[in-house]
Each structure stands twice: as structure tokens, then as C-alpha cells.
Amino acid sequence: MPELPDANNGQNRFVAEQLAPPPSAPPVAVKKDFFDAKKENPVVPVIAPIAGAQVAAATTPPVEAKKEFFAAREEQSAPMGATVDENAPNARTRTIILPTAQSINYDTYYGDEPAFTPKEANQIAISDAWASGGTAMDVQGAVTFAFGLQQPSIVCAVFQVTDIELQAGEVVQSVIVGDSLRWGIDAMISAGTTPHIVVKPVDSGLTTSMVVATDRRTYHFALKSSRRNYMSRVLFTYPQEAAAKFEQQRKDAEAKAQAERERATIPETNEYLGDLNFNYRVSGNTPWKPTRVYNDGTKTIIEMPRLMKSTESPALLVKQGGEETLVNYRVQGDRYVVDAVFKEAILIAGHGRKQQKVTLTYLDYGKKGGRQ
């Protein structure tokens, strides 16, 4: 069937030949009876073999009967919602004008426009702003929902599609919609791993629900159809997953810190090196000169060489205010433990000329960060 473009109104115009009758009616036989009756008598007898035609009374004028005949034929041959152009190019053809999204009368063919909540109206405005080239609140006019915090209410429209984008890597296992006759549901994949659910209603004023099950979670949607208003793109954030990720990061950080602490802990004394200050100067030359001196902020530890087990233990004098004071200490193996942090102390062993002395100086004493 040839197609005739109309540049004036943009509608699709199709030309239907009138030489052959529609399959559902015998217009040739009716036409023959009509003209035979017209020759014999100006009053047309009762004829109505075409479905939908009005029954012509015995007194019906021939002109009126002819109008009913063609009206019935047009109703049978023209698609629903189409109109007939009476100004056909010639007597053998006529033009049927099919409805389009721009020319259709929504009040006649589609349901009532649904009421929108303020939140839905704002979300529709996001899509409209992007579609019109304005500044949208999200990427490409997408409406974003936080998964699990609410049931998403998705507004769709006839002649349009709504793209619901799920999480990358998610695998859709099943999709169930309450009204599968009047809602078109399709699926697609983008970027190789991102699943999409595409929704398209066939009428406005519809409401239904949809459940999408994936290998990670289950989505529950409320669907609503409009004549023109719709959300072009829908995205999700996953706050519970983010919270779980942050919790796992916290646990990993704690485990790492614990492992680091264990590596930096002296096994024999279970002391953490991060809590210790080794900034001491040891002066003197004796066989029992300490191998290491440090403090943990509350006590001072003096590590002695192993030969101290067979020699006399030295005395410990702490210098305070120009005086030297004898201080007691505990012996733990090769260690002398003093329950104080001092600036300077002296270890002394022997008497007279055989006296041996070692001076211990804490270089960070009184400084910020120096434990005392």
C-alpha cells in the first residue's frame, strides 16, 4: 500500500483502494441492490448486510441510505482512532489518517492521568530538565533511589520507555510484574556487566507492582503510568553495602594495626616498641656497661650484659637537684627495672680506685613527646 507523506501536519497518511470490498462485508452486492432499487422505485427497500449500518426504513430517501452504506464501510475498514480524508485525490481512492503520539486525543483513547506525590513530581522534573537540555540534578537526568530505604515508585508514560539500571555485575534471575498484559517489560545489558530493566506501559492511569530478583538482592517496585510524564532513567545507591564495606575496611585496618603491633613487640617482655623511648646516652667503660636503656613513660628499663650474673650488681644513683639519691630497682633476668623516669642516673660498682661508674642520660627529658 503506497504511503503519502504530508508535510503540513506530520501525520501518517495511507491510501486504500476502494475497488475491492473489505473482507468482512459484501459492499458490491449491497451497491448493486441499492442501484437496482433506485431505478425501480425512488424509495429504497430495507437493506443492512454490513455490520454497524443503520437499517433503512421503507421511506428512507436514497441519499440517506447511500450515506449510511459508506459510513458503515468506513467504520469497518478504517483502524481505530483513524479519520478519513473526504478530499481524496480521485474517485477511486481515499486517504485514511492514522493517529500519532502528537495528534492523538488522550481523553478518548487512554486512561485518566494519575495523581503524583510531591516526591514523584520532583523526580519527574529531573527527567524533564535533562530531556529539555536544562540542568538536571543527577547524571543524564537519572532519578536515584537508595536501595532498601523505601519502595521505589516509578512513573512511566505511553509512547516512552523507562530505563531502570541495576548494579554493575549483578545478574538478573527473574522479573515478575503484576499486570503483564498492559505493561511491557524487557531486559538488556550495557558495558558487558550492567543489567537494565526497560518498562513501557500501553495505557495511562495504570498502577501495578514489579519484583526483580538478582543474584545479590530483590527489588520491589511500584509502577504508575502517565500520559506524558515519566522518569527516563532510574539508578540505585546501596547504603547498606557501603556501610558493610566501611565496616570491613575498619576491621582490615584494625587487623593490620594489630599485626604491626605484634611485629613491633618485644617477645620476651611483651613491650610494644611504639610505646618506648630509646633516646639515652650511656657513658663509661666497664665490663657490665648496659647494652640498652629505654622507658615506657612510667618506668625505666636498663638491660645489662649476661656476665652480670657472675659479678656484683651496681648501685643506681639518680641525680636530682644537684644531689645523688639511691634508687631501688627490680631485677628481671638481665634487666634492671626502675619505677620512675629520670633525667640522669649513675651506676656505681666497687670502692676506691677499683670503683667503676656508668652515666645514663635521658636526652628527651622535658621535651614534647618525651615520656617522663
Side-chain angles (χ1 to χ4, degrees):
M1 186 176 300
E3 178 178 348
L4 300 180
D6 190 337
N8 294 327
N9 54 28
Q11 298 174 327
N12 295 326
R13 306 171 62 92
F14 294 88
V15 178
E17 294 290 343
Q18 290 188 343
L19 296 178
S24 60
V28 174
V30 175
K31 188 173 183 180
K32 182 177 182 302
D33 293 339
F34 167 76
F35 285 109
D36 290 344
K38 183 178 179 182
K39 290 178 181 179
E40 296 174 1
N41 196 323
V43 178
V44 181
V46 177
I47 53 172
I50 300 180
Q54 299 294 327
V55 177
T59 57
T60 304
V63 175
E64 297 299 326
K66 185 176 181 181
K67 290 182 178 179
E68 292 179 4
F69 163 75
F70 285 109
R73 178 171 178 175
E74 288 172 358
E75 290 179 0
Q76 290 184 354
S77 59
M80 182 186 72
T83 59
V84 178
D85 188 354
E86 301 296 343
N87 300 319
N90 54 64
R92 299 172 58 85
T93 62
R94 66 175 180 166
T95 302
I96 299 174
I97 305 174
L98 297 178
T100 65
Q102 291 73 29
S103 64
I104 195 166
N105 186 336
Y106 285 87
D107 291 332
T108 303
Y109 299 104
Y110 292 100
D112 297 333
E113 183 72 356
F116 302 121
T117 65
K119 186 173 185 178
E120 290 172 340
N122 291 334
Q123 292 166 341
I124 292 171
I126 295 175
S127 295
D128 290 344
W130 174 69
S132 62
T135 302
M137 295 175 61
D138 203 347
V139 56
Q140 296 185 357
V143 177
T144 303
F145 292 92
F147 177 82
L149 300 185
Q150 60 186 336
Q151 182 184 31
S153 179
I154 310 299
V155 179
C156 309
V158 293
F159 296 114
Q160 304 294 344
V161 295
T162 294
D163 174 20
I164 303 175
E165 182 176 327
L166 307 182
Q167 190 178 36
E170 207 166 7
V171 179
V172 176
Q173 297 176 333
S174 62
V175 179
I176 299 176
V177 62
D179 185 354
S180 59
L181 295 178
R182 296 182 294 177
W183 289 83
I185 307 297
D186 204 351
M188 65 180 186
I189 301 292
S190 68
T193 60
T194 303
H196 297 252
I197 303 298
V198 181
V199 183
K200 181 180 180 181
V202 300
D203 198 358
S204 61
L206 304 178
T207 58
T208 190
S209 59
M210 180 176 67
V211 179
V212 178
T214 74
D215 60 340
R216 299 179 184 176
R217 56 185 65 85
T218 302
Y219 299 83
H220 294 267
F221 297 94
L223 302 181
K224 180 183 295 186
S225 67
S226 168
R227 296 178 179 179
R228 295 181 178 87
N229 298 301
Y230 73 106
M231 303 173 188
S232 59
R233 187 182 180 202
V234 175
L235 299 177
F236 281 92
T237 60
Y238 302 89
Q240 294 178 344
E241 187 173 279
K245 183 181 296 185
F246 292 146
E247 178 64 17
Q248 186 60 45
Q249 291 176 350
R250 183 188 65 80
K251 291 181 179 180
D252 292 344
E254 289 181 351
K256 182 178 180 180
Q258 181 62 29
E260 179 64 25
R261 186 179 184 89
E262 291 176 358
R263 286 193 297 269
T265 297
I266 301 175
E268 296 81 6
T269 63
N270 200 32
E271 293 172 324
Y272 175 51
L273 296 178
D275 296 334
L276 307 179
N277 192 315
F278 294 86
N279 196 15
Y280 281 82
R281 182 175 64 238
V282 180
S283 304
N285 188 12
T286 66
W288 44 264
K289 182 178 180 180
T291 58
R292 182 163 57 185
V293 182
Y294 58 90
N295 71 73
D296 62 3
T298 59
K299 58 183 180 291
T300 303
I301 295 90
I302 305 171
E303 293 187 359
M304 307 298 288
R306 294 185 180 277
L307 60 86
M308 282 296 300
K309 295 180 179 180
S310 59
T311 60
E312 179 184 0
S313 297
L316 177 64
L317 302 176
V318 175
K319 291 185 176 182
Q320 293 181 343
E323 298 182 357
E324 297 178 352
T325 304
L326 183 65
V327 176
N328 294 327
Y329 55 84
R330 302 188 307 276
V331 178
Q332 296 179 347
D334 298 332
R335 305 187 330 149
Y336 291 177
V337 180
V338 183
D339 293 324
V341 177
F342 49 80
K343 180 179 180 180
E344 187 174 355
I346 302 174
L347 287 172
I348 299 177
H351 302 278
R353 292 183 177 180
K354 294 183 178 181
Q355 187 181 70
Q356 297 175 323
K357 182 171 63 174
V358 173
T359 302
L360 311 176
T361 305
Y362 180 29
L363 301 179
D364 289 339
Y365 189 88
K367 294 181 181 179
K368 185 178 180 180
R371 296 178 174 89
Q372 67 263 359

